Amino acid sequence: MYKIMFSAGETSGDMHGANLAKALKNICSDIEMFGFGGPQMEQAGVKLCKNMLDYSVMGFWEVLVNLRKMFKLKDALVAEMKKQKPDILVLIDYPDFNWRLAKEAKKMNIPVFSYIPPSAWAWRKGRAKEVAKIADKIVAIFPFELDVYKKAGADISFVGNPLMDNVKASMSREMAAEFFGINLKEDNILLLPGSRKQEIANLLEPMLQAAQLIKKERPEVKFFLPVATGIDKKYLEEKINEYGLTVKLCEIKTYDLMNCCDFAIATSGTVTLEAALMGLPSIVLYKMSAITYRIAKIFVKIKYFSLPNILVDKQVLPELLQDEVNGENIARFARDLYKDTESAKKVKEELLMVKEKLGSPGVADKTAELILQTADRFKNEIKG
């Protein structure tokens, strides 16, 4: 029997954790899973000690403000670890919190498996050494992460990106258009303000300002917005009404929706990679608090901030950062991404390079095997 503890604090981590839980159960029926995660993990058979929807914060300043709450969360999970004594702790992203938890696991001689390690390739490269000392096995989801961790002495593998298993349409483009009430001959734009309340607070209004300008230029344009789990739909509706716009809110089949739209206006993050894999160009936005941005400018040294651009080391998608994020700039870039433009065709062709960088499907199964192998290795060491 295996007893596995998870810790995932974001929507994307919840999805990855759920896929790992399913893969683990397929490999071994005699398995018990518990920890910190969200509704998808719970549905996949992970018993939640704490729900991530109650702890979704991002950025240096924001984490600082919520520090007491996060310490209480850590204490609760450490207590659960002591009580249940798992065979392995599986960390999924969420680095600022998860590596504090990992240190406590090491004190209890519980092996630590890192899935989606801290982005030491982008900043704080020195922490790769710290992670290498704590993590017994690391699985990266991007090939460009390997070098810095290998140099730090980590046992790290790249077995592909999990999105290769998840990002796919469930129906034909024509069927999806009928499902959402979309006219494929018209202009259809997807708004992706994020899955965190803070992202939406920062980016929804600039998106709606851009939508107003776009609507003046192209009156026939239609807007769509997928509603992420845990986001208040009423709040979205109120904001949209303030701008006098019609935006269709959709709570299911996001990839099918991506397959029907011409381009997206999106917050930087996993969603831009999902869109890229669906062949959907994006205008990528990133805006944080002033304090967080000042700190980031000191430490983060990268040419691009959107994952598709980073993967191919080229500006395929337009990016707007901090004060550049406004309705006028977004609307300006939108003109190059309508279906009838040559620039849009070129972007779609270049997005194929992104897919090539992400490996082959079957990532959850490969990672689950590595989790059990790492747990077995430590069980054998204890016996020996």
Side-chain angles (χ1 to χ4, degrees), residues 4 68 106 116 119 145 170 176-177 181 193 238 259 266 316 349:
I4 297 174
R68 181 176 293 182
K106 294 305 286 185
I116 313 176
S119 53
E145 297 179 282
S170 67
E238 288 173 354
N259 207 25
V316 173
E349 287 171 6

Side-chain angles (χ1 to χ4, degrees), residues 9-217:
E10 297 173 300
T11 302
S12 59
D14 185 33
M15 176 184 70
H16 299 319
N19 289 335
L20 284 180
K22 292 171 191 173
L24 285 163
K25 284 199 294 186
N26 287 336
I27 297 169
C28 177
S29 57
D30 193 11
I31 195 165
E32 184 181 334
M33 298 175 288
F34 68 98
F36 175 48
Q40 293 183 70
M41 288 170 66
E42 187 173 35
Q43 192 173 5
V46 179
K47 184 179 179 181
L48 298 185
C49 309
K50 295 287 181 180
N51 194 311
M52 51 157 266
L53 297 179
D54 299 322
Y55 300 91
S56 182
V57 293
M58 60 182 287
F60 303 102
W61 176 249
E62 294 76 13
V63 169
L64 202 60
V65 169
N66 289 274
L67 211 50
R68 181 176 293 182
K69 186 177 182 181
M70 302 309 288
F71 275 127
K72 285 183 178 179
L73 171 63
K74 189 197 82 171
D75 290 345
L77 294 177
V78 169
E80 202 65 37
M81 238 192 302
K82 286 178 180 175
K83 178 184 173 183
Q84 300 216 39
K85 297 180 176 64
D87 296 310
I88 193 166
L89 170 65
V90 178
L91 307 176
I92 304 173
D93 204 1
Y94 210 51
D96 291 320
F97 176 81
N98 272 343
W99 289 94
R100 289 183 173 89
L101 190 63
K103 288 175 183 177
E104 298 299 323
K106 294 305 286 185
K107 291 176 187 177
M108 294 180 239
N109 294 315
I110 295 169
V112 172
F113 188 100
S114 171
Y115 186 52
I116 313 176
S119 53
W121 56 272
W123 73 293
R124 282 172 64 188
K125 292 189 177 182
R127 69 178 169 175
K129 291 182 179 178
E130 183 183 353
V131 170
K133 288 176 185 175
I134 298 171
D136 298 286
K137 179 67 183 177
I138 301 172
V139 171
I141 62 169
F142 298 112
F144 53 72
E145 297 179 282
L146 297 179
D147 188 51
V148 67
Y149 276 106
K150 283 182 177 177
K151 285 179 179 176
D155 180 355
I156 186 167
S157 302
F158 171 70
V159 296
N161 190 287
L163 294 180
M164 294 300 291
D165 294 322
N166 300 321
V167 180
K168 57 189 77 169
S170 67
M171 60 183 102
S172 71
R173 193 163 184 259
E174 290 70 27
M175 287 175 65
E178 187 178 347
F179 179 86
F180 290 111
I182 291 175
N183 184 342
L184 294 174
K185 293 180 181 178
E186 293 181 348
D187 297 317
N188 300 291
I189 300 173
L190 192 58
L191 304 180
L192 299 168
S195 59
R196 301 183 187 98
K197 293 174 184 177
Q198 187 184 326
E199 288 174 327
I200 292 171
N202 286 337
L203 296 173
L204 181 59
E205 291 205 38
M207 288 184 182
L208 296 176
Q209 290 164 7
Q212 282 183 323
L213 295 171
I214 290 167
K215 194 76 176 171
K216 285 179 183 177
E217 292 182 10

Side-chain angles (χ1 to χ4, degrees), residues 60-61 289-296:
F60 303 102
W61 176 249
S289 70
I291 293 174
T292 299
Y293 179 63
R294 288 193 194 103
I295 296 169

Side-chain angles (χ1 to χ4, degrees), residues 196-334:
R196 301 183 187 98
K197 293 174 184 177
Q198 187 184 326
E199 288 174 327
I200 292 171
N202 286 337
L203 296 173
L204 181 59
E205 291 205 38
M207 288 184 182
L208 296 176
Q209 290 164 7
Q212 282 183 323
L213 295 171
I214 290 167
K215 194 76 176 171
K216 285 179 183 177
E217 292 182 10
R218 296 204 178 206
E220 78 287 352
V221 74
K222 299 290 190 300
F223 296 99
F224 300 85
L225 193 160
V227 182
T229 304
I231 296 302
D232 184 359
K233 188 177 177 181
K234 188 178 178 182
Y235 169 80
L236 297 176
E237 289 171 341
E238 288 173 354
K239 279 292 175 186
I240 290 164
N241 289 336
E242 280 179 26
Y243 284 83
L245 290 163
T246 299
V247 179
K248 186 168 183 178
L249 302 181
C250 308
E251 297 181 72
I252 55 174
K253 299 187 181 296
T254 299
Y255 299 143
D256 291 293
L257 186 57
M258 286 179 174
N259 207 25
C260 293
C261 290
D262 301 316
F263 64 90
I265 302 170
T267 184
S268 179
T270 304
V271 73
T272 61
L273 199 54
E274 293 172 311
L277 291 176
M278 290 302 301
L280 181 70
S282 301
I283 301 166
V284 187
L285 317 178
Y286 196 19
K287 191 171 185 180
M288 61 202 93
S289 70
I291 293 174
T292 299
Y293 179 63
R294 288 193 194 103
I295 296 169
K297 275 187 74 175
I298 296 168
F299 295 107
V300 181
K301 306 297 179 185
I302 51 176
K303 284 193 285 185
Y304 313 109
F305 61 79
S306 64
L307 288 169
N309 289 348
I310 292 167
L311 269 167
V312 297
D313 195 24
K314 180 181 179 182
Q315 181 139 355
V316 173
L317 302 178
E319 299 180 342
L320 292 171
L321 177 63
Q322 209 62 6
D323 292 340
E324 296 172 344
V325 178
N326 59 57
E328 290 80 6
N329 284 339
I330 298 168
R332 177 167 53 86
F333 279 119

